[in-house]
Amino acid sequence: MKKLLSLLTLIIALQFNTATAQQQFIVNGVEIPRTLEFKGKTMSLNGVGQRSKFWTELYVQALYLTILSEDAKEILDSNTEMAISLHITSGLISSKKLSKALAKGMEKSVGEDGIQKFSKELEELEVLLSTEETKTGDVFELTFNPLDESLWITKNKDYKGKIKGYEFKKAFYGIWLSDNPVDKGLKEDLLGKY
């Protein structure tokens, strides 16, 4: 009888946990999904944080991986599906400012010499981010596809285009995950080191 009661308690607890497991949660008023789907693959939320500058919250960012990790180098070197989502929370972010900030972040990550070899890709990125004006509430997903070694860009779930290059992907994700990221606190958050 004791075993049966324990088993029933376990089954009820599992059902309760499954029924109440959140599919998303709220960060600074932004709904962050626990998973993202890409080409039949499920990526899970590795970490989430927000980027602020001069006491202004600019965006909430989430990192999704197929294999969760706290090792930034391992993530940058990985040739598996991964995504960064940027949830714009400030009206100060325009398409032009966003692409300039990403270029500056890459330069900080790879250095002045390193950034030169990505000038073509950065021009492509600026064009893809500028197909329409960026406003508060917009969500960008920047997903690495290992099958064609390219970074796919979507805005509010609309595909905008892709930029080829595994090395570009490493430099791009390095904006937040390199040894010299734009925000060390955000890096820790994305790595799940709360």
Side-chain angles (χ1 to χ4, degrees):
M1 184 66 173
K2 212 175 203 180
K3 285 183 181 178
L4 181 60
L5 188 56
S6 295
L7 181 62
L8 284 173
T9 304
L10 178 64
I11 290 170
I12 290 169
L14 285 174
Q15 286 178 335
F16 180 75
N17 287 339
T18 303
T20 59
Q22 292 178 315
Q23 294 302 307
Q24 58 192 14
F25 59 99
I26 310 296
V27 176
N28 195 26
V30 175
E31 291 182 5
I32 304 294
R34 294 225 181 246
T35 60
L36 284 182
E37 298 294 323
F38 180 77
K39 300 285 183 190
K41 294 271 188 173
T42 300
M43 297 174 288
S44 298
L45 182 64
N46 195 74
V48 62
Q50 60 186 34
R51 174 83 168 117
S52 302
K53 199 169 183 183
F54 304 119
W55 303 282
T56 303
E57 294 161 0
L58 303 174
Y59 55 80
V60 172
Q61 179 175 358
L63 173 65
Y64 294 88
L65 304 173
T66 50
I67 301 166
L68 300 182
S69 175
E70 290 186 354
D71 186 330
K73 183 171 179 357
E74 180 182 273
I75 295 167
L76 291 175
D77 290 341
S78 174
N79 196 18
T80 60
E81 290 83 357
M82 62 182 66
I84 287 275
S85 67
L86 298 176
H87 302 256
I88 307 300
T89 57
S90 170
L92 298 175
I93 300 279
S94 66
S95 302
K96 189 173 186 87
K97 284 180 182 175
L98 180 59
S99 56
K100 279 180 89 174
L102 293 174
K104 276 187 178 179
M106 268 186 66
E107 184 174 348
K108 185 174 183 187
S109 166
V110 299
E112 285 181 35
D113 293 335
I115 198 70
Q116 297 304 317
K117 67 180 180 181
F118 297 115
S119 58
K120 180 177 137 308
E121 289 87 350
L122 286 171
E123 285 175 20
E124 290 176 45
L125 181 65
E126 185 174 357
V127 168
L128 293 174
L129 293 177
S130 302
T131 56
E132 59 193 47
E133 192 50 48
T134 297
K135 60 190 180 311
T136 303
D138 284 343
V139 179
F140 290 92
E141 287 174 11
L142 308 137
T143 307
F144 178 67
N145 181 359
L147 297 177
D148 64 1
E149 291 197 331
S150 62
L151 187 70
W152 290 45
I153 289 114
T154 62
K155 181 179 181 184
N156 302 323
K157 298 293 183 188
D158 292 330
Y159 173 74
K160 298 299 178 185
K162 60 185 174 181
I163 302 170
K164 287 251 186 222
Y166 170 71
E167 290 303 317
F168 173 72
K169 166 260 183 186
K170 285 173 63 175
F172 183 78
Y173 279 74
I175 294 169
W176 304 281
L177 298 174
S178 70
D179 291 336
N180 197 17
V182 293
D183 184 321
K184 289 182 180 174
L186 178 56
K187 175 181 176 177
E188 296 292 298
D189 290 342
L190 294 176
L191 294 175
K193 298 179 178 181
Y194 305 108

